[in-house]
Short mmCIF file of all heavy atoms in Angstrom, two decimals:
data_model
loop_
_atom_site.label_atom_id
_atom_site.label_comp_id
_atom_site.label_asym_id
_atom_site.label_seq_id
_atom_site.Cartn_x
_atom_site.Cartn_y
_atom_site.Cartn_z
N CYS A 23 -50.75 25.13 71.49
CA CYS A 23 -50.69 24.38 72.76
C CYS A 23 -52.09 24.20 73.28
O CYS A 23 -52.89 25.13 73.29
CB CYS A 23 -49.83 25.14 73.74
SG CYS A 23 -49.84 24.41 75.40
N CYS A 26 -52.30 26.81 76.22
CA CYS A 26 -51.90 28.24 76.06
C CYS A 26 -52.36 28.88 74.76
O CYS A 26 -52.28 30.06 74.62
CB CYS A 26 -50.38 28.33 76.14
SG CYS A 26 -49.66 27.60 77.62
N HIS A 76 -44.14 22.29 75.67
CA HIS A 76 -44.15 23.74 75.67
C HIS A 76 -43.16 24.28 76.71
O HIS A 76 -43.53 24.73 77.81
CB HIS A 76 -45.56 24.24 75.91
CG HIS A 76 -45.74 25.70 75.58
ND1 HIS A 76 -46.92 26.35 75.79
CD2 HIS A 76 -44.89 26.61 75.02
CE1 HIS A 76 -46.78 27.60 75.39
NE2 HIS A 76 -45.55 27.76 74.94
N CYS A 80 -46.23 26.57 79.41
CA CYS A 80 -46.81 25.80 80.54
C CYS A 80 -45.98 24.52 80.88
O CYS A 80 -46.26 23.89 81.88
CB CYS A 80 -48.22 25.35 80.13
SG CYS A 80 -48.31 24.28 78.70
ZN1 ZN B 22 -48.54 25.65 76.84
#
Side-chain angles (χ1 to χ4, degrees):
C23 173
C26 306
H76 195 184
C80 62

